[in-house]
Amino acid sequence: MAKPTVALVYQAVQALYHDPDPAGKERASVWLGELQRSMYAWEMADQLLQLKQDVESCYFAAQTMKMKIQTSFFELPPETHIALRDSLLSHIQSLKDLSPIIVTQLALAIADLALQMASWKGCVHTLIEKYSNDVSSMTFLIEILTVLPEEVHSRSLRIGANRRTEIIEDLAYYSSTVVTLLMTCVEKSGSNEKMLIKVFRCLGSWFNLGVLDSNFMANNQLLMVLFQVLQRDETSTNLHEAASDCVCSALYAIENVDTHMPLALQLFQGVLTLETAYHMAVAREDLDKVLNYCRIFTELCETFLETTVKSPGQGMGDLRPLELLLICAGHPQYEVVEISFNFWYRLGENLYKTNDPALHGIFRPYIQRLLHGLARHCQLDPDHEGIPEDTDDFGEFRMRVSDLVKDVIFLVGSMECFSQLYSTLKEGNPPWEVTEAVLFIMAAIAKSVDPENNPTLTEVLEQVVLLPETVHIAVRYTSIELVGEMSEVVDRNPRFLDPVLNYLMKGLREKTLASVAAKAIHNICSVCRDHMAQHFQGLLDIARALDSFALTTEAAVGLLKGTALVLARLPLEKIAECLSDLCAVQVMALKKLLSQDPSNGKAADPTVWLDRLAVIFRHTNPIVENGQTHPCQKVIQEIWPVLSQTLNTHQADNRIVERCCRCLRFAVRCVGKGSASLLQPLVTQMVSVYQVYPHSCFLYLGSILVDEYGMEEGCRQGLLDISLEWQWNSGCSIGFELTLLEQPNGLRNHPDTVDDLFRLATRFVQRSPVTLLSSGIIVHIIQCAIAATTLDHRDANCSVMKFVRDLIHTGVSNDHEDDFELRKQLIGQAMGQHGQQLVTQLMHTCCFCLPPYTLPDVAEVLWEIMVFDRPTSCRWLENALKGLPKETSGGALTVTHKQLTDFHKQVTSAEECKQVCWAIREFTRLFR
């Protein structure tokens, strides 16, 4: 990009906001994006801010400044940093009245500069000294002081742990000065609501960073002002939210209660005074305030959770906060009680770990009252028509209730609760919506009730299947769900199998109940496989008529899964015929699609039938003794031509080819080595299609074939030739793999191919390492793996790391195979050639490219390298560490010599992999 004029940039900004033509807006957006990535952005943004022509151009310039400081600060030489700081402070002062969003962007730019500019010492003190006496500057000063602590842990800034520690210590030192300034603002501004909101936001930001002195804050007037605002009935919604956020931040900051005792006590007592204000908000039907109070009560309970469990009812283990949460649970709006769910999960988890019956007894009444409230909240509206919705907000709330009930039911006793719920239905005559809600909660806990010799469970099952068809459709829907959850009871009491299946079949024939009934039948098939064998013909009839029922795709596949599970329990001699019958419908449908003339030049979509075949193959797993022919082998051989033709017809469509490969994968897995006759035609077709359409799913299917046949002497070299070398060579001939290796973003743009390629290579390492290591292709694969370690795609990176780890491990693991010495020699040669490059890349990758969750995989690779050759790996690691940057572009120290040597020692003297992992986690924080 050539250097533009400021007039041209202004014109582009105007087009971005005001051009009536969308294409014009898009062109302006692309051009401005290119400008922001260039060196000219610094100067252009500065000039636009000086010109101060309008809100749009100033906002673009302020945002550009912030973005450049966050992502491209290294572009500026150190001698320009002071001038940049002074310029930004001048801009924010001159633009403070133009727009709050511009002030925020400039405040962020100043904060990000302060965090990276090591030469700007005591920035908080400098700013307060410069602007605190000027009332007109107070708004932007507080904005800077608000975003500064927020940016300390920003992922956009890689300032490193050393600089971060230095900054946090600096902010802690000046924190009391900031709080005093905020209190002065409150005193001077009186009841100015906007200023109060800014003050509370700023205070919350400093609480979140955890740098405020507890003793100082416990006696500070600001805390009193906060609670006064929350107690006042006339407080506006915006101010109430800001004050609530601030109290929640304060409570979160003192989670380690023992070290913050004075402040903890003040907050505890302060929150307890808000009960009256909560009731007033309920009386006024002010839902926003009610939700705020519930957030505060929940945060209070979360903060004092450990204290409450250790000493319930004593001191700050006082149980009144739980009472407050149960008061909130009584609010008619379900959104209120939902706020507290995480606390109840955590309470249940803590009590489960302590496993103290006396302690459980103290909390049992609270959980009972909670469950009672939840059952009421789960009730549908009396005028609700149709079945309960799963996908709307209320449906999602009910699912969360179901999960919570499962987690805390042990405190009450699932049998006791189940019986109580049943008795409310049995003894009373509740309205339909109460009945449905009770059945819903019963379904949530049914699986946790012991099904052995349990008369209540059998009675419930007996009564539910007798429900008349005249009851509300929602009651029938939930009762079917309950029956599905009680499949263990059916398994223990097979006399119920017929009435249960009859009941579910009625549901299956009704449009609105079909899918839930199918899910219940699937559950029964999964649990009662042996008992269901006698009903296989009935299941087969359902499967044949699957599309005559109003089923979702998921429910239809679930039914076929259940049928396949039962099929696998039939006598071996019957399986082949029954499997053929079960597959026949799908095969006929595929044949019909293949015989049709493509409409609009496009063949009809076969994925529904492919997915159904896949689920049948996946779950038909009969027990076959050694030497016996697999009963499914003949059926799969018969189906292969149809699958082959489907694959050919749709070879250009990645989605359909993926489904074909998935179906073939499960077919191969189903019969194992019994699929040998398919190997040659299948691989020939894969190679032929891949040369034209390089779908990565072929690589994955190749890895399945290697897994099944890689140990077979006669197949090893052939598999390597056709699965890795053809893939590489054919890929290169059409420029595809070359693209992966050589283009700047090639790996990043094709993560699926990287994932599947290295899964395939890993299978070779596991099944036939010498074949792979002896081939000419290994050098290319290792080079590609080293390049791909930088990928931050979860699956692709995991596959690459696993390949490298397993590859090196073959030279470490003496599994008494004849080829161990040869493997060790071949790995030694590969490591001699690539070891230094690999270790250097891994260190660079984990410091600058990868998210923390991938570090255990990196640690495993480094550990295997060390186990293979510790003396050489020590030298490689030392060289890799010497190449890491020691300073940030802002002049801050990234890593000290001692930290480098400590890390080297920790890794090279580690006695197990997890020590390497801990060392890497700590070390990489220095660069994040």
Side-chain angles (χ1 to χ4, degrees):
M1 167 180 245
K3 184 180 178 180
T5 62
V6 72
L8 183 61
V9 177
Y10 180 74
Q11 196 180 331
V13 173
Q14 289 302 301
L16 178 69
Y17 285 101
H18 302 296
D19 192 328
D21 178 18
K25 279 182 187 288
E26 181 59 30
R27 281 195 300 275
S29 175
V30 170
W31 188 84
L32 288 169
E34 197 181 331
L35 171 69
Q36 285 182 319
R37 288 187 293 276
S38 75
M39 276 291 292
Y40 306 122
W42 297 100
E43 187 185 339
M44 294 298 115
D46 187 55
Q47 287 185 24
L48 282 172
L49 289 168
Q50 280 176 8
L51 288 171
K52 209 161 77 171
Q53 284 181 281
D54 52 33
V55 171
E56 287 104 336
S57 62
C58 288
Y59 176 71
F60 169 77
Q63 188 198 37
T64 301
M65 271 296 187
K66 178 203 74 176
M67 195 185 85
K68 293 297 282 183
I69 290 169
Q70 281 182 349
T71 60
S72 310
F73 189 55
F74 60 87
E75 292 177 351
L76 295 180
E79 59 271 18
T80 62
H81 293 173
I82 290 172
L84 175 62
R85 178 194 67 188
D86 295 345
S87 169
L88 286 171
L89 290 172
S90 163
H91 289 320
I92 200 168
Q93 190 157 25
S94 68
L95 295 165
K96 62 181 182 287
D97 300 321
L98 187 60
S99 165
I101 57 170
I102 293 170
V103 171
T104 300
Q105 291 298 310
L106 288 172
L108 283 164
I110 292 162
D112 291 340
L113 176 64
L115 297 178
Q116 294 181 88
M117 187 175 157
S119 59
W120 188 0
K121 306 288 184 190
C123 64
V124 171
H125 178 69
T126 311
L127 291 165
I128 291 176
E129 204 172 50
K130 186 169 183 178
Y131 297 113
S132 61
N133 295 322
D134 176 13
V135 178
S136 67
S137 301
M138 203 55 78
T139 51
F140 74 78
L141 173 61
I142 291 180
E143 189 65 28
I144 297 171
L145 293 174
T146 301
V147 298
L148 184 63
E150 291 172 352
E151 289 296 287
V152 170
H153 293 291
S154 165
R155 290 187 178 182
S156 305
L157 299 176
R158 299 186 74 95
I159 56 176
N162 287 334
R163 174 64 178 157
R164 200 167 276 114
T165 302
E166 183 189 338
I167 290 160
I168 289 171
E169 285 171 0
D170 193 51
L171 295 182
Y173 183 78
Y174 291 110
S175 61
S176 303
T177 313
V178 172
V179 174
T180 306
L181 171 75
L182 294 177
M183 192 60 225
T184 309
C185 282
V186 172
E187 286 164 355
K188 284 183 179 174
S189 64
S191 56
N192 180 331
E193 186 183 301
K194 281 187 178 175
M195 184 52 79
L196 271 179
I197 289 172
K198 284 183 178 295
V199 165
F200 291 158
R201 266 194 61 222
C202 186
L203 182 61
S205 174
W206 285 74
F207 267 127
N208 283 334
L209 191 61
V211 293
L212 295 179
D213 180 84
S214 296
N215 294 323
F216 179 76
M217 285 310 304
N219 304 308
N220 195 278
Q221 283 290 108
L222 258 183
L223 214 56
M224 285 175 58
V225 173
L226 257 181
F227 284 109
Q228 283 168 3
V229 165
L230 288 168
Q231 285 161 357
R232 277 204 304 269
D233 183 35
E234 61 274 14
T235 298
S236 73
T237 303
N238 290 343
L239 180 56
H240 197 275
E241 184 173 7
S244 301
D245 289 344
C246 188
V247 171
C248 287
S249 297
L251 286 164
Y252 185 78
I254 59 150
E255 197 140 28
N256 191 352
V257 174
D258 295 338
T259 57
H260 300 283
M261 200 52 85
L263 180 56
L265 189 61
Q266 290 295 330
L267 288 169
F268 190 89
Q269 291 170 345
V271 173
L272 290 180
T273 64
L274 299 178
E275 184 181 347
T276 309
Y278 168 83
H279 288 300
M280 184 59 77
V282 172
R284 291 192 184 280
E285 297 184 1
D286 190 336
L287 184 59
D288 289 330
K289 285 187 180 178
V290 166
L291 291 168
N292 286 336
Y293 289 125
C294 189
R295 280 197 298 127
I296 294 169
F297 298 156
T298 302
E299 201 64 61
L300 179 72
C301 289
E302 296 239 26
T303 296
F304 291 93
L305 173 61
E306 284 186 22
T307 315
T308 309
V309 171
K310 275 183 198 166
S311 52
Q314 298 165 33
M316 282 189 280
D318 194 326
L319 295 171
R320 279 181 294 169
L322 267 70
E323 291 288 349
L324 291 176
L325 279 197
L326 289 172
I327 289 169
C328 291
H331 192 277
Q333 298 286 340
Y334 69 82
E335 294 92 343
V336 179
V337 69
E338 195 170 15
I339 289 170
S340 66
F341 278 13
N342 192 56
F343 165 73
W344 295 112
Y345 279 125
R346 285 186 59 203
L347 177 64
E349 192 178 29
N350 264 266
L351 293 171
Y352 188 77
K353 283 177 185 170
T354 54
N355 196 20
D356 177 349
L359 195 61
H360 290 186
I362 293 170
F363 289 96
R364 184 171 294 117
Y366 293 93
I367 300 297
Q368 284 172 329
R369 286 163 60 193
L370 173 69
L371 292 175
H372 182 75
L374 291 176
R376 195 175 62 254
H377 278 297
C378 284
Q379 290 174 18
L380 297 162
D381 289 335
D383 57 356
H384 178 90
E385 292 179 4
I387 61 171
E389 287 293 334
D390 287 342
T391 51
D392 61 6
D393 289 345
F394 185 55
E396 286 178 10
F397 166 75
R398 286 186 17 138
M399 294 320 296
R400 288 195 67 199
V401 168
S402 176
D403 291 340
L404 178 58
V405 169
K406 287 170 187 168
D407 277 8
V408 299
I409 194 65
F410 73 92
L411 284 164
V412 179
S414 41
M415 187 59 236
E416 185 186 332
C417 183
F418 196 86
S419 300
Q420 281 177 0
L421 289 165
Y422 178 51
S423 66
T424 61
L425 299 181
K426 191 177 168 185
E427 290 159 17
N429 185 21
W432 75 263
E433 67 275 13
V434 174
T435 302
E436 191 279 334
V438 169
L439 289 171
F440 177 77
I441 302 292
M442 287 170 75
I445 59 177
K447 277 186 179 167
S448 60
V449 181
D450 183 6
E452 207 64 59
N453 300 321
N454 197 319
T456 306
L457 284 176
T458 52
E459 189 183 335
V460 168
L461 198 54
E462 215 163 5
Q463 293 303 311
V464 167
V465 298
L466 292 173
L467 274 174
E469 291 181 34
T470 52
V471 298
H472 194 287
I473 193 82
V475 174
R476 289 182 64 201
Y477 180 94
T478 306
S479 69
I480 290 171
E481 278 190 326
L482 175 57
V483 170
E485 292 297 309
M486 293 178 75
S487 46
E488 295 272 359
V489 184
V490 179
D491 192 44
R492 299 290 202 292
N493 302 275
R495 68 182 188 278
F496 286 117
L497 192 55
D498 283 354
V500 162
L501 289 175
N502 288 335
Y503 181 66
L504 296 178
M505 278 306 299
K506 285 179 190 170
L508 194 63
R509 292 189 190 99
E510 288 193 38
K511 189 177 178 181
T512 48
L513 300 177
S515 290
V516 73
K519 188 181 172 188
I521 293 171
H522 166 210
N523 283 357
I524 300 282
C525 289
S526 302
V527 176
C528 315
R529 292 166 73 173
D530 292 319
H531 298 309
M532 283 297 293
Q534 59 183 305
H535 292 279
F536 182 76
Q537 190 56 48
L539 290 171
L540 192 55
D541 292 340
I542 293 171
R544 283 174 174 151
L546 209 53
D547 292 309
S548 66
F549 304 112
L551 297 172
T552 61
T553 305
E554 186 187 358
V557 166
L559 255 178
L560 287 173
K561 177 184 170 183
T563 307
L565 289 170
V566 175
L567 168 62
R569 292 297 171 93
L570 297 180
L572 278 186
E573 64 274 10
K574 288 189 175 179
I575 288 179
E577 185 191 344
C578 293
L579 177 63
S580 183
D581 289 345
L582 186 57
C583 295
V585 178
Q586 343 306 326
V587 174
M588 289 302 294
L590 286 173
K591 283 180 176 174
K592 188 178 174 187
L593 291 182
L594 290 168
S595 67
Q596 288 172 359
D597 286 331
S599 54
N600 308 323
K602 198 173 180 185
D605 188 348
T607 52
V608 169
W609 313 106
L610 291 169
D611 288 350
R612 290 181 184 181
L613 279 175
V615 82
I616 294 167
F617 295 145
R618 184 177 189 175
H619 296 286
T620 305
N621 298 314
I623 298 159
V624 182
E625 301 294 331
N626 277 341
Q628 287 181 306
T629 304
H630 199 290
C632 305
Q633 187 175 322
K634 182 169 172 283
V635 181
I636 287 171
Q637 283 169 351
E638 289 168 357
I639 292 173
W640 158 248
V642 181
L643 294 177
S644 172
Q645 199 182 341
T646 303
L647 179 56
N648 260 342
T649 304
H650 298 278
Q651 58 183 275
D653 189 323
N654 183 58
R655 185 179 64 91
I656 295 174
V657 172
E658 270 190 1
R659 300 303 236 290
C660 278
C661 285
R662 184 169 173 272
C663 186
L664 288 163
R665 164 196 166 192
F666 289 124
V668 170
R669 286 294 197 207
C670 175
V671 292
K673 298 199 174 41
S675 61
S677 62
L678 298 183
L679 192 56
Q680 190 61 45
L682 172 56
V683 170
T684 305
Q685 186 170 6
M686 284 163 64
V687 173
S688 137
V689 175
Y690 190 91
Q691 286 174 343
V692 186
Y693 301 105
H695 302 298
S696 74
C697 53
F698 285 131
L699 305 179
Y700 185 79
L701 185 54
S703 73
I704 302 298
L705 296 175
V706 172
D707 196 39
E708 289 292 340
Y709 294 100
M711 302 289 278
E712 302 293 305
E713 194 61 50
C715 298
R716 288 177 178 179
Q717 189 58 45
L719 277 171
L720 181 71
D721 293 343
I722 56 182
S723 57
L724 268 175
E725 296 200 5
W726 66 259
Q727 179 269 333
W728 207 278
N729 296 328
S730 68
C732 284
S733 69
I734 59 163
F736 186 71
E737 295 300 344
L738 210 57
T739 301
L740 284 185
L741 285 167
E742 292 177 3
Q743 284 194 1
N745 291 317
L747 291 162
R748 188 174 297 279
N749 293 341
H750 301 282
D752 292 345
T753 303
V754 175
D755 180 19
D756 290 331
L757 169 65
F758 284 101
R759 279 175 189 264
L760 172 57
T762 303
R763 295 286 194 204
F764 261 108
V765 170
Q766 292 165 345
R767 295 295 181 211
S768 184
V770 172
T771 313
L772 178 64
L773 286 162
S774 307
S775 76
I777 201 74
I778 188 65
V779 174
H780 301 292
I781 296 176
I782 291 173
Q783 285 290 350
C784 186
I786 291 171
T789 55
T790 57
L791 267 183
D792 61 356
H793 183 280
R794 185 187 287 263
D795 293 337
N797 192 275
C798 183
S799 293
V800 171
M801 294 297 177
K802 182 166 174 51
F803 163 73
V804 179
R805 179 210 164 278
D806 286 6
L807 184 73
I808 300 165
H809 188 70
T810 57
V812 173
S813 167
N814 188 353
D815 42 19
H816 306 293
E817 294 278 340
D818 297 339
D819 63 357
F820 174 64
E821 288 304 324
L822 177 57
R823 291 199 320 252
K824 191 172 179 182
Q825 182 193 337
L826 291 167
I827 292 294
Q829 288 170 5
M831 291 305 290
Q833 200 175 346
H834 306 286
Q836 180 65 72
Q837 187 191 357
L838 174 61
V839 173
T840 302
Q841 181 80 324
L842 286 173
M843 286 315 303
H844 174 83
T845 288
C846 59
C847 289
F848 301 108
C849 305
L850 297 182
Y853 67 77
T854 60
L855 295 183
D857 295 338
V858 178
E860 284 192 4
V861 176
L862 283 174
W863 170 251
E864 289 297 337
I865 295 170
M866 284 220 312
V867 175
F868 181 73
D869 185 349
R870 200 173 283 254
T872 311
S873 64
C874 290
R875 195 170 65 252
W876 288 339
L877 183 59
E878 185 182 341
N879 292 336
L881 294 176
K882 281 178 183 172
L884 292 173
K886 311 299 183 288
E887 272 194 3
T888 66
S889 49
L893 190 68
T894 305
V895 58
T896 65
H897 180 72
K898 184 177 184 306
Q899 285 169 329
L900 287 169
T901 53
D902 284 353
F903 173 67
H904 187 273
K905 186 179 176 183
Q906 286 164 358
V907 172
T908 54
S909 62
E911 292 177 4
E912 51 185 343
C913 184
K914 65 181 176 185
Q915 292 172 317
V916 178
C917 187
W918 292 335
I920 289 177
R921 276 190 196 284
E922 286 306 309
F923 184 71
T924 53
R925 287 194 180 114
L926 300 171
F927 297 88
R928 291 188 189 283

